[in-house]
Amino acid sequence: MEHTRYETLANRLAELIRGGTFTAGDRMPSVRQSSREHRVSISTVIEAYRRLEDTGLIEARPRSGYYVKAPSLPAARLPTIATHAKKPVHIGGASLFEALMDTVADPAVIPFAAAAPDDSMIPRAKLASISNAIFRKHGGAALRYTLPPGRRELRVAVSKRLLGAGIKASPDEIITTHGATEALLLALRATTRRGDLVAVETPTYFGILHLLRDLGLRAIEIPVSPREGLLVDAFESALRKHRVAACVVQPDFHNPIGGVMPPAAKERLARLSGQHGFTIIEDDVYGELSHEGVRNSSISLYGGRVIHIGAISKTLAPGLRVGWVVPGPHFAEIKRLKNIQCPWNATLSELMVAEFLEAGGYDRHLRRIRQLYAVQCARMRQAVIEAFPDTCRVNQPQGGFVLWIEMPVGFDAEHFAVKAMEQRISLVPGPVFSASGGLRNCFRLSCGFAFNDRTLDAVRLLGKLAGK
Amino acid sequence: MEHTRYETLANRLAELIRGGTFTAGDRMPSVRQSSREHRVSISTVIEAYRRLEDTGLIEARPRSGYYVKAPSLPAARLPTIATHAKKPVHIGGASLFEALMDTVADPAVIPFAAAAPDDSMIPRAKLASISNAIFRKHGGAALRYTLPPGRRELRVAVSKRLLGAGIKASPDEIITTHGATEALLLALRATTRRGDLVAVETPTYFGILHLLRDLGLRAIEIPVSPREGLLVDAFESALRKHRVAACVVQPDFHNPIGGVMPPAAKERLARLSGQHGFTIIEDDVYGELSHEGVRNSSISLYGGRVIHIGAISKTLAPGLRVGWVVPGPHFAEIKRLKNIQCPWNATLSELMVAEFLEAGGYDRHLRRIRQLYAVQCARMRQAVIEAFPDTCRVNQPQGGFVLWIEMPVGFDAEHFAVKAMEQRISLVPGPVFSASGGLRNCFRLSCGFAFNDRTLDAVRLLGKLAGK
């Protein structure tokens, strides 16, 4: 009976997955291939794959095929979150941070600290041929000064990409920047004054905290969920007590915790911005790196005063230093500030990115690296779960490529980072991601780099250091 | 008699120069060529050329030949200078500035406002082949993040170049930056606090003034001579009355006035730095652009606390955005600040510049563009002298490529700039170069661009607008 056949196949495949033939993140053989290999009909394979999907062993990804899922932990083993904002703080220093950064480029160190794509994921052949074409087309003009708002070719290309997030910004409403960090700096400077209070997520990308401290701004920490991003309830309570000038948020595939704000939460946040008169600084650097291939809408779609920020550092090539900001009503002020502090952009970089976005197969490239990131995250996550004590909690990112690991209270992540560095493994301890220096029992592992035996050994060594 | 023969030749050549066959900045025919053309001996030509040199019509340049000199004005027609520093000021705004910058990239506008090399002077073919070689050699690594202090390849190459200015800095004592502006920003931030007093030259490069205002610093204006740069006497008097945290100085081929500080003045300035405890921020962006091919010594050679700044924006390619800073005792603080504000450099740019400096024929390239700049300056200067009222004063730059023109008191350079812009000619009015908004009767014309009939027509039109 056909019924039995697909069950038999499903069971056989399940055994192969549990036995490690197919491991977390692997693409399953295509339906056609399985049909040949197992000598069953196409429809039998389809039924078997559906069965495996129902039992949670594999998952379908649109236009890509079936993938082995990472072992799912019970909800109780996702990182915990606070429910309320803390008191405003002046941001503390992070002495360990610079030492960490100094080692990231050392090839002898396993770079779990670096949230960057693997060199092999950068489409260098295509970019090299684009670079040649630009020299041929523009001659010396490819290397002249580019003044704010940046090369029009790039602003046109970015304008088209932004449509994917529901943002309708004309090229004249976009300013290109030297990566997303400059865009964040300009956005903060345009919307705050020294001493102002800025709402930041906890945990959040450390670069945001460094900028806040440098600008003499105070922070109020809003908890972030590993599933749903910024806790709008907690933020709303805090807004009743505090006047906030700006709120820096990573709504999609949050670094480091991986959460994604549901549309309703984005809408509420936009409404709060209008009611309380603060600017939302939307850091969308990971927005195009969904593992499932979805592209969510910008908060600006729901209204509110939003400065949108993007870059190609995580998707194409960090070393080109190309980002952008859609400043909305702050356009003139951000352009003025850029003219002062970092007035001229790298012209060749801007032209290369413009051409890649327009005609370099960016969507195809994105599909490829999203899948790689998904595989690398899944493998790393499985390795962590196996190597670390059962008391550890791990996020399950739906996009991007960083893992957030929470150990029991009392665990000292800074001490752990130092011990790991002695073993030539870098990672970023939790306090670096917290305005108040909290999150001492947490740390971040980047999965941007290809997962291989060396990576696996490093995770196992970390597990031992963590007390397994 | 041989004596008569060289005088006859000298007179004939002098007529050709006065008649316009050879014009200011032109290279004279080689000695061999003149010998052939005029059917006289080599030694006769040499004698004739010496005679022309004595009368000030031509000048010898080492390893390059003889050039027609720009018409020299009596000393009374060089721009005037104040003799004393003024009172400290908060730096005023310059509303015209942004409008000017917006038009610089417009191909319909004659860009006398832009201090940049002509596109044709950028060695694009060589840089394109270097870019290819880098992609071949480094693969994706050519586009990964580069953290401070920057790519070692570049720091090694810069370290070698700095020897030319007498600076012995190891690669580990150099931090690469996103152009010289970032280096200036970092140097100011490392040596001052909000409200501090900084000595600046008047006139000075406007970017320095924008940074000072943005950082909440006050300025004390020290006069600069079109011949000898910063007036150390005036500065020393000011130091008796005021405590200065830093002094920003362009000792060689000053932008916009072209002065060069003699070694004795550099030595005195270095000594004052030690006595009064301020940091010298040495902006050496034009240091390699002597028209004569000389390379002067850095102030740091004479002691004192010096932060040295350089870049390839004026010598190689502005759009690569590559500069550097030798921070001396401020190394750690400047690296810390760079990690916050603009943490990652454009890797491809750094590798391209490193390779060009090491093996791209940089010295040969410099010889070529120095001569071009010298010719362009001389032609533009002659055109200005002919087109403008006799009351105008013009500097005679020994390097770089900007002219500083002083009109009689009462002339309104800002109004003049607006009128010029209506005729699609950009230029920068004097007040943009002054912390106190002075220099209202002066303006700057850049000679970075190839001098041609369109340029000449534009200068003549400016002359008419200026009342000739």
Side-chain angles (χ1 to χ4, degrees), chain B residues 279-294:
Chain B
T279 303
I280 297 165
I281 300 174
E282 177 178 63
D283 175 359
D284 191 40
V285 165
Y286 290 88
E288 292 196 304
L289 291 179
S290 157
H291 295 172
E292 310 289 331
V294 297

Side-chain angles (χ1 to χ4, degrees), chain A residues 97-98 101-102 104-105 115-117 119-120 122-125 127-129 131-132 135 138-149 178 181-182 185 189 194 205-207 210-211 213-215 313-314 316-321 332 335-349 352, chain B residues 97-98 101-102 104-105 115-117 119-120 122-125 127-129 131-132 135 138-149 178 181-182 185 189 194 205-207 210-211 213-215 313-314 316-321 332 335-349 352:
Chain A
F97 177 76
E98 273 213 66
M101 288 298 110
D102 280 346
V104 162
D119 289 345
S120 66
I122 296 173
R124 59 196 180 281
L127 287 168
S129 88
S131 160
N132 274 326
F135 275 113
H138 294 274
L143 296 171
R144 58 159 81 139
Y145 282 118
T146 291
L147 276 68
H178 184 74
T181 301
E182 193 201 10
L185 170 62
R189 289 205 54 197
R194 194 164 279 270
Y205 166 56
F206 47 76
H210 296 173
L211 290 171
R213 186 178 56 216
D214 196 53
L215 295 170
S313 303
K314 310 300 181 188
L316 184 56
L320 287 174
R321 309 311 303 129
K335 178 156 164 276
R336 188 188 74 79
L337 288 166
K338 177 150 178 64
N339 254 319
I340 294 167
Q341 289 227 343
C342 193
W344 298 296
N345 285 349
T347 311
L348 180 61
S349 290
M352 282 171 71
Chain B
F97 177 75
E98 272 213 65
M101 289 297 109
D102 281 345
V104 162
D119 289 345
S120 66
I122 296 173
R124 60 197 178 282
L127 286 169
S129 88
S131 160
N132 274 327
F135 275 113
H138 294 273
L143 295 172
R144 58 159 81 140
Y145 282 117
T146 291
L147 276 68
H178 184 73
T181 302
E182 193 201 8
L185 170 63
R189 289 205 54 196
R194 193 164 280 269
Y205 165 55
F206 47 77
H210 295 175
L211 290 171
R213 185 178 57 215
D214 196 54
L215 295 170
S313 302
K314 310 299 181 189
L316 185 55
L320 287 174
R321 310 311 303 130
K335 179 157 164 274
R336 187 189 73 80
L337 287 167
K338 180 154 175 59
N339 255 319
I340 294 167
Q341 288 226 343
C342 193
W344 298 297
N345 285 349
T347 311
L348 180 61
S349 289
M352 282 171 71

Side-chain angles (χ1 to χ4, degrees), chain B residues 43-56:
Chain B
S43 62
T44 302
V45 177
I46 289 173
E47 282 303 313
Y49 277 16
R50 283 205 185 125
R51 165 62 65 100
L52 291 172
E53 204 180 357
D54 288 344
T55 56

Side-chain angles (χ1 to χ4, degrees), chain A residues 351-393:
Chain A
L351 290 171
M352 282 171 71
V353 173
E355 184 61 23
F356 196 93
L357 293 183
E358 289 279 10
Y362 188 57
D363 281 311
R364 197 171 56 241
H365 167 73
L366 273 184
R367 272 200 296 280
R368 180 177 156 258
I369 64 162
R370 277 167 178 158
Q371 285 168 20
L372 287 170
Y373 283 144
V375 169
Q376 286 161 205
C377 279
R379 294 213 172 145
M380 183 89 119
R381 191 164 174 279
Q382 180 166 27
V384 166
I385 289 168
E386 287 169 9
F388 277 70
D390 289 344
T391 48
C392 90
R393 293 161 175 267

Side-chain angles (χ1 to χ4, degrees), chain B residues 27-355:
Chain B
R27 193 170 177 279
M28 292 292 288
S30 72
V31 170
R32 197 169 297 274
Q33 193 183 339
S34 277
S35 153
R36 267 201 317 273
E37 287 175 356
H38 300 279
R39 293 174 182 76
V40 295
S41 70
I42 294 277
S43 62
T44 302
V45 177
I46 289 173
E47 282 303 313
Y49 277 16
R50 283 205 185 125
R51 165 62 65 100
L52 291 172
E53 204 180 357
D54 288 344
T55 56
L57 279 173
I58 67 173
E59 62 189 341
R61 296 207 191 122
R63 283 185 299 177
S64 171
Y66 286 88
Y67 287 78
V68 181
K69 278 179 78 170
S72 62
L73 291 175
R77 285 197 56 190
L78 281 179
T80 54
I81 39 171
T83 50
H84 289 86
K86 293 203 222 165
K87 286 188 183 148
V89 288
H90 287 278
I91 295 126
S95 57
L96 199 56
F97 177 75
E98 272 213 65
L100 268 173
M101 289 297 109
D102 281 345
T103 61
V104 162
D106 182 346
V109 172
I110 305 270
F112 291 157
D118 195 275
D119 289 345
S120 66
M121 295 165 83
I122 296 173
R124 60 197 178 282
K126 186 77 199 170
L127 286 169
S129 88
I130 284 176
S131 160
N132 274 327
I134 286 167
F135 275 113
R136 274 197 307 275
K137 179 175 172 193
H138 294 273
L143 295 172
R144 58 159 81 140
Y145 282 117
T146 291
L147 276 68
R151 287 292 297 210
R152 190 170 176 86
E153 294 94 327
L154 177 59
R155 290 183 286 117
V156 167
V158 169
S159 167
K160 289 179 192 161
R161 288 297 319 166
L162 289 174
L163 291 172
I167 298 171
K168 289 179 193 69
S170 80
D172 293 335
E173 294 170 311
I174 296 166
I175 296 174
T176 64
T177 59
H178 184 73
T181 302
E182 193 201 8
L184 283 166
L185 170 63
L186 292 168
L188 284 167
R189 289 205 54 196
T191 56
T192 65
R193 286 167 179 277
R194 193 164 280 269
D196 274 356
L197 189 58
V198 174
V200 294
E201 297 167 306
T202 295
T204 192
Y205 165 55
F206 47 77
I208 293 164
L209 300 176
H210 295 175
L211 290 171
L212 256 62
R213 185 178 57 215
D214 196 54
L215 295 170
L217 298 165
R218 290 172 309 136
I220 183 158
E221 299 183 78
I222 315 297
V224 198
S225 143
R227 289 182 192 275
E228 306 204 323
L230 184 88
L231 292 196
V232 184
D233 280 340
F235 188 29
E236 191 165 12
S237 303
L239 283 168
R240 279 186 220 114
K241 279 180 270 179
H242 304 284
R243 217 204 141 276
V244 161
C247 168
V248 190
V249 60
Q250 299 174 69
D252 290 295
F253 318 115
H254 183 278
N255 170 17
I257 210 166
V260 175
M261 285 178 79
K266 288 181 177 174
E267 191 172 355
R268 271 184 71 202
L269 183 59
R271 203 163 51 235
L272 288 176
S273 150
Q275 286 165 1
H276 294 268
F278 63 87
T279 303
I280 297 165
I281 300 174
E282 177 178 63
D283 175 359
D284 191 40
V285 165
Y286 290 88
E288 292 196 304
L289 291 179
S290 157
H291 295 172
E292 310 289 331
V294 297
R295 179 70 170 118
N296 298 321
S297 296
S298 161
I299 297 169
S300 63
L301 209 70
Y302 305 100
R305 204 195 309 159
V306 179
I307 298 181
H308 178 88
I309 287 168
I312 50 83
S313 302
K314 310 299 181 189
T315 58
L316 185 55
L320 287 174
R321 310 311 303 130
V322 171
W324 50 84
V325 53
V326 188
H330 302 283
F331 187 92
E333 176 63 0
I334 283 185
K335 179 157 164 274
R336 187 189 73 80
L337 287 167
K338 180 154 175 59
N339 255 319
I340 294 167
Q341 288 226 343
C342 193
W344 298 297
N345 285 349
T347 311
L348 180 61
S349 289
E350 295 211 341
L351 290 171
M352 282 171 71
V353 174
E355 185 61 23

